[in-house]
Amino acid sequence: MNISFTPVTIKKKKPAIAGLPFGSCFTDYMFLLNYTERQGWHDPRIEPYGPLPLEPATVVLHYGQSIFEGLKAYRRPDKTIQLFRPEDNIRRMNNSARRLCIPELPEKLVLQAIVELVDREREWVPEAPGTSLYIRPTLIATEPTLNVNAAKTYLFFIILSPVGPYYPEGFNPVRIWITPKYVRAVRGGIGEAKTAGNYAASLYAGEEAHRAGFSQVLWLDGVKQKYIEEVGSMNIFFVIDDTILTPELNGSILPGITRDSVLKLARHWGLDCRERKISVNEILLAQQTGSLKEVFGSGTAAVISPVNVIRYKEQELIIDNGETGKITRKLFEDLTAIQYGQLQDPFKWTFPVDTRKTQQ
Ligand SMILES: *Cc1c(COP(=O)(O)O)cnc(C)c1O
């Protein structure tokens, strides 16, 4: 399908990548695609990045009918650019769409749009180690009405943001806080959809955790508050003795693509990985008996995030003496090496962007 193009008059100056806060700077262009009942998805176009005209009555502003995705474009050693599992992000976006009564996107066109936009903005894909271009596909209900129904019109857009290294001073463990008080998602709710409302629901507990000196909240299940779910923008893993454990996908946990990559890579290495219910008690007990070896989170932003402290009520668990474990480190090294094209990719996860040879 042909994607139309409107050029900018003046290109932006590229910022220094070191120290650039996440998601604070956007490239020259964005991709847009509209939906109406009569025309379906139509008018794919790349235009200068800029404000969206929305009426104050727009459905998304009142009732939160909105979904998004997050993936990255990486520079390979030969300076060509590649994506990591983009088709999985697009498929997941359509799962989120169904859950929020949003019409499904044409998957081939969305992949084409990501590739064309990133290719056009290739100068924005940074080259320094650990840097990348973050890609944010977003889909919102645009119908102007206060009527509580699924909207009849939608806008899909993609914006791009260069990001600096997540660990500028080396691999850095995080402290997480298990809240016994708040929940993020409940059984039968929208926890498994990547939707704005889940984030809004998590902010209050997040601020409480920050005030107590923790960087993130580890959520428990919303029914019994007994089983571990996820970190809110990361899935969670525990290494107990020689087994890698992560909560099973139960409908209230986001099915992370990094989570899936961790499981596939660790199984490829021959490690024992289990997806099942994990209670907080099991973790506390494993710590007491010395069998809790490593804890880490997984997500597109940090890829792998070692956890060195877990707080639950009055207890503070120091994991692995506050060090970063071997499996955590190896997963980070190999996953990022595959993403940057430094290591052979046996899973066919990487996807080339370059539609022509680079001129460099
Ligand atoms: C996006 C997200 C994750 C991580 O998913 P990845 O595909 O690995 O980036 C985990 N939890 C929530 C709630 C998320 O929104």
Side-chain angles (χ1 to χ4, degrees):
M1 200 173 199
N2 190 41
I3 297 174
S4 70
F5 174 62
T6 310
V8 291
T9 41
I10 307 166
K11 284 195 177 177
K12 294 177 190 169
K13 199 169 164 282
K14 314 254 182 325
I17 196 81
L20 192 65
F22 175 78
S24 60
C25 161
F26 300 95
T27 67
D28 291 304
Y29 292 101
M30 59 183 176
F31 171 83
L32 300 163
L33 180 68
N34 290 85
Y35 179 90
T36 58
E37 281 184 326
R38 196 170 55 84
Q39 290 173 284
W41 288 105
H42 64 279
D43 197 14
R45 59 204 186 276
I46 292 175
E47 287 185 353
Y49 176 92
L52 304 171
L54 293 176
E55 289 193 32
T58 301
V59 166
V60 67
L61 302 177
H62 300 271
Y63 306 130
Q65 214 189 352
S66 148
I67 56 176
F68 67 94
E69 273 301 326
L71 67 158
K72 285 174 170 176
Y74 305 87
R75 282 273 179 195
R76 294 170 51 91
D78 65 2
K79 307 279 192 250
T80 60
I81 297 164
Q82 67 187 19
L83 307 170
F84 186 70
R85 307 187 65 177
E87 288 141 309
D88 293 287
N89 288 93
I90 299 169
R91 203 171 303 126
R92 184 171 69 187
M93 194 162 205
N94 270 343
N95 292 338
S96 301
R98 277 192 298 277
R99 184 64 183 81
L100 275 97
C101 300
I102 293 172
E104 283 180 50
L105 287 158
E107 298 191 359
K108 276 211 182 96
L109 175 60
V110 173
L111 183 61
Q112 182 193 344
I114 294 172
V115 167
E116 278 191 34
L117 184 64
V118 171
D119 194 28
R120 191 168 285 287
E121 296 285 58
R122 52 186 311 113
E123 301 161 6
W124 286 91
V125 185
E127 292 182 15
T131 64
S132 57
L133 184 68
Y134 185 76
I135 304 166
R136 170 52 64 86
T138 310
L139 205 174
I140 58 169
T142 51
E143 191 187 355
T145 172
L146 297 184
N147 187 15
V148 183
N149 269 322
K152 293 191 174 64
T153 62
Y154 294 87
L155 175 69
F156 171 68
F157 59 85
I158 307 170
I159 56 176
L160 305 175
S161 177
V163 288
Y166 199 88
Y167 299 111
E169 281 132 37
F171 212 30
N172 197 9
V174 296
R175 296 158 54 84
I176 56 174
W177 191 62
I178 301 182
T179 173
K181 197 162 156 194
Y182 307 104
V183 298
R184 168 190 171 274
V186 293
R187 187 171 62 209
I190 53 172
E192 69 180 345
K194 210 168 173 74
T195 179
N198 288 330
Y199 281 77
S202 73
L203 296 177
Y204 196 83
E207 293 209 346
E208 239 179 59
H210 288 156
R211 279 197 296 275
F214 292 85
S215 60
Q216 309 227 26
V217 173
L218 177 56
W219 299 97
L220 298 181
D221 77 279
V223 180
K224 297 195 172 127
Q225 288 187 265
K226 191 174 153 193
Y227 297 102
I228 289 175
E229 297 240 300
E230 61 160 309
V231 188
S233 59
M234 286 194 297
N235 296 107
I236 189 88
F237 287 83
F238 302 90
V239 182
I240 295 186
D241 293 323
D242 294 326
T243 303
I244 301 181
L245 287 176
T246 194
E248 64 192 351
L249 299 177
N250 60 356
S252 54
I253 297 172
L254 200 285
I257 290 161
T258 321
R259 174 190 181 279
D260 184 71
S261 307
V262 164
L263 290 171
K264 291 205 165 103
L265 188 57
R267 283 176 178 144
H268 178 74
W269 293 337
L271 298 178
D272 181 20
C273 298
R274 308 261 173 94
E275 300 166 72
R276 62 162 169 82
K277 274 189 165 56
I278 305 164
S279 68
V280 195
N281 278 341
E282 180 179 353
I283 299 304
L284 298 178
L285 199 66
Q287 170 77 356
Q288 273 168 21
T289 58
S291 53
L292 180 60
K293 306 290 192 222
E294 305 181 28
V295 181
F296 61 89
S298 73
T300 296
V303 187
I304 299 293
S305 209
V307 173
N308 63 350
V309 176
I310 300 179
R311 169 82 175 266
Y312 179 63
K313 297 185 177 164
E314 274 70 55
Q315 301 193 54
E316 200 159 286
L317 315 187
I318 316 281
I319 317 298
D320 202 13
N321 298 315
E323 307 278 304
T324 295
K326 276 211 298 280
I327 293 176
T328 305
R329 193 172 286 280
K330 177 81 174 143
L331 281 165
F332 177 77
E333 284 169 1
D334 281 27
L335 271 178
T336 52
I338 291 173
Q339 289 168 337
Y340 285 94
Q342 297 153 348
L343 190 68
Q344 206 239 329
D345 166 20
F347 307 97
K348 297 201 165 57
W349 282 335
T350 53
F351 191 97
V353 159
D354 303 78
T355 49
R356 52 174 195 268
K357 279 256 175 292
T358 43
Q359 279 97 31
Q360 299 178 7

